[in-house]
């Protein structure tokens, strides 16, 4: 299996795939990104091992860093949430991976149909949308593009189960199901902050205790990455044509300042690095 992108999600996906006993090649264009990904995996696996999880060394031995796209029966793409970048990865993967191999994307919102159209095998292109942190979250949202075959969908549903996740199928509409529901919540919380209705801690406490959510929307936005949240909201806004999905200016400004959330050490909150 080939995982492209070794950030928060790609690293987590590679970890879960390797923990299931499969070999995984991990590729990222940014210098040092694969090494950072391996480091995060080691930390996560160490914590899981204390609770009876697999031996971290054995799992990590199945992860092979690679310098480019390589042959595999399945690609899981987890690069930045940018349609042009993803389409370019799919075009290149279509040339490298053997005929019949499945090309999947962990995209939060970019149309699977357009990723399929960037290849000569749209029937083998599908969304395999994991949740953050991947080793702990039980859901995979399986998204079929217009041309995705039943065979491809069945294979990905089966794989999700084998990785210990629960698959749920959604159609290829902007934001699918998960982010169409989640992002308006995050955006409204950002507006409540911008308008001075409450401070971040109070907003998140109200959501956690009032709605029984395990994490508040602002802390969750920081976990996802504010850049990723803004990118998803832009896809929802453009794709559904309703101004209610436009990203709150506060989120845009934080992204402009480089406050991307946990991954940059500062977002709506500050984090120890
Ligand atoms: N963060 C979340 O909570 C979350 C949840 C579900 C899905 N996603 C989706 O997963 C994807 C990745 O998100 P993330 O949070 O891991 O982002 P991230 O910023 O942590 O990582 C993205 C990685 O992709 C690499 N990259 C960029 N262009 C590349 C290319 N052409 N080839 C190889 N690597 C490349 C970057 O160097 C970076 O390491 C996005 O599509 C995002 O929408 C994110």
């Amino acid at each position: 299996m080939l995982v492209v992108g070794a950030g928060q999600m790609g690293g987590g996906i590679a970890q879960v795939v390797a923990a299931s006993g499969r070999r995984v090649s991990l590729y990222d264009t940014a210098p040092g990104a694969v090494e950072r990904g391996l480091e995060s995996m080691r930390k996560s696996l160490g914590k899981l091992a204390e609770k009876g999880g697999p031996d971290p060394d054995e799992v990590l031995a199945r992860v092979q860093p690679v310098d480019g796209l390589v042959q595999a029966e399945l690609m899981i793409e987890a690069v930045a949430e940018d349609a042009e970048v993803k389409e370019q990865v799919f075009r290149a993967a279509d040339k490298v991976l053997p005929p019949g191999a499945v090309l999947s994307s962990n995209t939060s919102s970019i149309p699977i149909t357009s990723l399929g159209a960037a290849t000569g095998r749209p029937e083998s292109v599908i969304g395999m949308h994991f949740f953050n942190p991947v080793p702990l979250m039980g859901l995979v949202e399986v998204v079929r593009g217009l041309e995705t075959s039943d065979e491809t969908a069945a294979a990905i549903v089966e794989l999700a189960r084998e990785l210990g996740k629960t698959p749920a199928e959604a159609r290829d509409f902007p934001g699918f199901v998960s982010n169409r529901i989640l992002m308006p919540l995050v955006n409204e919380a950002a507006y409540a902050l911008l308008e001075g209705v409450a401070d971040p801690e109070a907003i998140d406490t109200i959501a956690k205790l009032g709605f029984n959510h395990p994490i508040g929307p602002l802390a969750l936005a920081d976990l996802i990455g504010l850049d990723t949240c803004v990118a998803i909201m832009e896809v929802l806004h453009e794709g559904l044509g309703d101004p209610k999905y436009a990203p709150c200016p506060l989120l845009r400004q934080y992204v402009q300042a480089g406050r991307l959330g946990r991954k940059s050490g500062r977002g709506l909150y500050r984090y120890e690095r």
Side-chain angles (χ1 to χ4, degrees), residues 31-65:
V34 171
E35 289 69 24
R36 284 192 296 277
L38 288 167
E39 199 43 50
S40 313
M41 281 182 228
R42 184 169 286 287
K43 273 194 206 147
S44 164
L45 285 163
K47 283 188 207 152
L48 293 172
E50 285 168 18
K51 296 180 204 146
D55 177 359
D57 288 331
E58 277 180 25
V59 175
L60 288 170
R62 288 194 283 271
V63 183
Q64 173 73 46

Side-chain angles (χ1 to χ4, degrees), residues 21-227:
R22 294 168 169 83
R23 295 199 167 273
V24 50
S25 304
L26 182 59
Y27 170 54
D28 197 294
T29 43
V34 171
E35 289 69 24
R36 284 192 296 277
L38 288 167
E39 199 43 50
S40 313
M41 281 182 228
R42 184 169 286 287
K43 273 194 206 147
S44 164
L45 285 163
K47 283 188 207 152
L48 293 172
E50 285 168 18
K51 296 180 204 146
D55 177 359
D57 288 331
E58 277 180 25
V59 175
L60 288 170
R62 288 194 283 271
V63 183
Q64 173 73 46
V66 288
D67 293 334
L69 300 178
V70 294
Q71 294 259 338
E73 283 308 307
L74 169 66
M75 169 182 83
I76 306 178
E77 167 277 311
V79 309
E81 189 70 351
D82 177 314
E84 269 180 39
V85 176
K86 286 193 192 288
E87 282 169 19
Q88 189 248 319
V89 169
F90 273 71
R91 263 193 296 277
D94 191 33
K95 295 198 179 89
V96 173
L97 274 75
V102 171
L103 309 181
S104 74
S105 176
N106 181 52
T107 181
S108 304
S109 61
I110 289 165
I112 300 304
T113 305
S114 49
L115 298 179
T119 74
R121 60 176 98 186
E123 70 286 354
S124 302
V125 172
I126 192 161
M128 193 174 189
H129 184 202
F130 290 84
F131 289 73
N132 188 6
V134 182
L136 303 183
M137 296 291 281
L139 177 66
V140 172
E141 190 177 32
V142 176
V143 185
R144 284 178 188 230
L146 189 64
E147 312 282 1
T148 308
S149 69
D150 290 347
E151 193 188 352
T152 300
I156 293 304
V157 161
E158 177 61 21
L159 173 64
R161 290 206 179 99
E162 286 173 17
L163 297 179
K165 308 295 185 196
T166 300
E169 288 195 50
R171 286 171 58 203
D172 189 19
F173 262 63
F176 319 133
V177 171
S178 53
N179 281 306
R180 184 172 179 159
I181 296 173
L182 175 61
M183 284 303 144
L185 174 70
V186 166
N187 214 27
E188 207 54 45
Y191 271 113
L193 180 63
L194 179 67
E195 291 167 14
V197 181
D199 62 24
E201 289 80 5
I203 292 170
D204 279 347
T205 300
I206 288 163
K208 279 197 292 187
L209 302 184
F211 318 148
N212 206 15
H213 288 187
I215 183 171
L218 298 177
L220 180 56
D222 271 356
L223 180 69
I224 294 168
L226 302 186
D227 52 340

